Amino acid sequence: MRIAQKCGRNKQPISRFHIDAAISARHSTPVAQHPALSVSRQRAKLTVAVSGQVKKCATMSTLENEVTFRKQAEVNQNLEAQFRSSSTDFILLTDHRTSKYKSLEQLEAAKQENEPAPSCCANYLRNTFRMKTLKKRLPIIGWLPKYNKADAFGDIIAGFTVGLTVIPQGLAYSGVVGLPAESGLYGSFLGCFVYVLLGTCKDNTIGSTAVASLMTFQFARGSWARSVLLTFLTGVIEILMAIFKLGSLVEFVSGPVSAGFTSAVSLIVLTSQMKYILGVNGDGASFLESWINMISDIKNIRIWDSCLGFGCLALLLIIRSLSRFRIGPKEKSERSQLQRVINEVIKFLGVTRNASVVIGATLIAMYLEGNGSNPFVLTGYIPPGLPTISLPKFSIEAQPGNATAGIPAVPGESFFEMVHTLGYGLIIVPIIALLENVSVCKAFAKDRQIDISQELFATGVANIANSMVSGYRSNGGLARSAVNNASGCRTNMSNLYIGMIVVMSISYLTEYFYFIPKAVLASIIISAVVFQMQYQCVMPMWRSKRSDLVPGVFAFITCLVLPLEIGITVAIGANQLYILYHSARPKVTLEQLETEQGIKFVKITPDRCLIFPSVEFVRNMVLKSGSKTTLPVVIDCTYIYAADFTAAKVISSMVDDFRRRQQKIIFFNLKPSVVSIFEGLKTKLVLCYNMHALNQELLPNSTENLSRSVDSLDIEGGTSECVSMTSTSTLSLAK
């Protein structure tokens, strides 16, 4: 049994009184009356000689009594001060590791093991149907009983406001995916209904986003069947990720990489919409190729569409800026009633600017179309009514083309061919979607904890539901959620009203969607994505740690130059290599110290754990330092909190190198969990856990190969002989 206690914060040496108090608290018996602490009453003693041999070893305690080994020593205060900044642990060891002698904790564990354990199914069912688990997996149970009129009023206002934003965005983002306009609306209502039941963030709204639309286009290549299948399969994968607690994968995508990826997506989406404003050919597999094609086809620019598109874009940006303007004093309580009304109107116009611009442009296009002089490219026919609920198509039937109408033939694909076409998008899309959803939840979480697994589950079910109505991929959108928050949403019920607004528009307004100019929808997308570029994080990153700009800039460039799916994969891989490189090059501090007796030694302090990328570097540093001198080498292991097999193997060879040239190497304050890893390779280490033990080991007459370790102590019943020990220092207490 090991009892470890931190003592570095108060900077005070540990007195005998502290140790007695700790032991008394452990055994609930006064120290003065404890039989194990009275020398005359001890049933076992352990005496260790530092002269190179082990003298005696008494028998250990019984199962009920524990023997505490104690030794007091004068400590060199000056030398201890050198270690105090890094070594703050003292260890009190009582050996109960043999099969014959067990601690009280081990006896309690043995009792529990002997009791009949319930089956796995019984435990699973018991945990699943607890009210706490149901509230966690079905959050609506927690807040619905508390729902009141004030909540309903706030959610209705927010739902209506966001619904007016979702409709034009759904129509616009369909063009990014390369699908008909109605597909964006189909994926914007059923997911909202699901999120009301399963969502954990009241401000988050499920619908079409720039990232989801672009990723769907990159992998589905404009095929509606493949887009719906991608939505279904990624939803299933998200549910599996939630079940197996794989939400932590998002932690492997660093902030700079995420910022670079989001900025690149914003530029790519902006580029994809410029072709609708300019009226030129802008198809291309990458960002550069799209701009090259648009510049090459600039002679076919449509003037009226360009004027309308850029005019609407300027109007949207102006309204967005004016929406922050407020009349009257800064304090709301000091404003008059008229000022409050005007401010609310300005705020409402700001959050509904997309719908206002679309309605105005549609009325102009309807008037011109009625007069037969419409110069704009319109959205076109959208089938009225809600889509039928059905499973997505798991294969594509071959369809002949029509040369007269310019319709190309559609080759047939089986399910496995469709999955092969989607490729590793089935992995990339859920991870990027998780990153987007978590960023939304973090933005509005405040002091609430985020349940990543539940968000994964909610998003997965929502996308499976979207695929049932022929909708494509949907995520939580930051801009749309910001509108929801600013509109005063109170609970997740705002998603219900958003979905109802979309359902009503599909049912009754599709005939008017025909007259919406495509240039207007393109301007709405551009005005949204231009503010998603993460340029605001460049200067803080430059001031805090400039090296973090490297993975961010690399992700930005690779996602622009290469296809998006390849760019983000390369960026994430390069960032992991960047992290591994830093972990493989730990900071190692070298100091030459001297004891009170005048014994000099070299102290080496690594600043992190020993794992396979870094252990060879540390080994070379230690060997290089040791080869330049004959002084003993002391490795301060305070910061080595973990190790692996490769590290144990390398350290074992390093210890052998020191032993061959008869130079001492001592491991100071090596944690027992790490010692057990080295013991697996039967590595003989000299361990010290306090200054007195270190002084004893540094004495010239101490034996190098002294085998004395409590950890490997083998006690034959009742005998006083002791064999196979690796270090005396484990029996000593720090002052």
Side-chain angles (χ1 to χ4, degrees), residues 191 194-195 198-200 206 242 453-463:
V194 171
Y195 196 80
L198 304 177
T200 61
I206 301 297
S453 297
Q454 182 61 25
E455 281 297 317
L456 264 174
F457 182 76
T459 309
V461 176
N463 279 284

Side-chain angles (χ1 to χ4, degrees), residues 524-580:
I524 291 174
I525 294 179
I526 293 175
S527 66
V529 300
V530 73
F531 294 102
Q532 294 182 11
M533 295 188 63
Q534 305 295 314
Y535 56 85
Q536 68 275 7
C537 69
V538 174
M539 289 309 298
M541 208 179 299
W542 177 266
R543 290 191 296 266
S544 60
K545 190 176 180 182
R546 298 177 183 179
S547 60
D548 283 343
L549 288 172
V550 175
V553 173
F554 183 77
F556 178 74
I557 294 175
T558 53
C559 291
L560 286 181
V561 176
L562 302 174
L564 188 63
E565 65 275 14
I566 299 176
I568 186 59
T569 304
V570 172
I572 294 175
N575 190 42
Q576 299 308 311
L577 292 176
Y578 183 77
I579 296 173
L580 286 175

Side-chain angles (χ1 to χ4, degrees), residues 666-679:
I666 302 170
F667 293 84
F668 185 83
N669 205 17
L670 185 62
K671 292 176 173 53
S673 59
V674 181
V675 174
S676 62
I677 298 175
F678 294 142
E679 284 180 349

Side-chain angles (χ1 to χ4, degrees), residues 567-679:
I568 186 59
T569 304
V570 172
I572 294 175
N575 190 42
Q576 299 308 311
L577 292 176
Y578 183 77
I579 296 173
L580 286 175
Y581 175 79
H582 282 279
S583 66
R585 294 295 180 268
K587 183 180 179 181
V588 180
T589 305
L590 281 77
E591 300 175 87
Q592 182 172 326
L593 304 179
E594 184 176 350
T595 66
E596 191 177 45
Q597 292 80 11
I599 303 175
K600 295 182 180 181
F601 64 95
V602 177
K603 176 192 171 188
I604 300 177
T605 308
D607 68 341
R608 66 194 65 175
C609 60
L610 290 179
I611 54 177
F612 67 93
S614 62
V615 66
E616 195 66 36
F617 176 79
V618 174
R619 175 181 178 270
N620 293 335
M621 291 288 293
V622 174
L623 292 177
K624 183 179 179 181
S625 302
S627 63
K628 294 180 179 180
T629 180
T630 58
L631 297 176
V633 175
V634 178
I635 301 179
D636 188 354
C637 306
T638 301
Y639 302 114
I640 301 177
Y641 57 87
D644 55 14
F645 171 77
T646 305
K649 195 172 180 180
V650 173
I651 294 298
S652 178
S653 65
M654 183 181 70
V655 171
D656 293 338
D657 292 339
F658 274 82
R659 185 176 291 111
R660 278 193 295 269
R661 62 173 179 254
Q662 297 183 350
Q663 184 179 6
K664 286 185 178 181
I665 179 171
I666 302 170
F667 293 84
F668 185 83
N669 205 17
L670 185 62
K671 292 176 173 53
S673 59
V674 181
V675 174
S676 62
I677 298 175
F678 294 142
E679 284 180 349

Side-chain angles (χ1 to χ4, degrees), residues 10 86 178 194 214 276 382 411 453 471 667:
N10 53 19
S86 58
V194 171
L214 186 60
Y276 297 111
I382 295 178
S453 297
F667 293 84

Side-chain angles (χ1 to χ4, degrees), residues 13 52 111 113 129 194 293 305 318 378 468 501 566 659 661 675 721:
K111 284 183 180 180
E113 291 178 358
F129 292 101
V194 171
N293 291 337
D305 282 317
I318 291 173
L378 304 181
M468 300 293 184
I501 295 293
I566 299 176
R659 185 176 291 111
R661 62 173 179 254
V675 174
E721 298 297 328

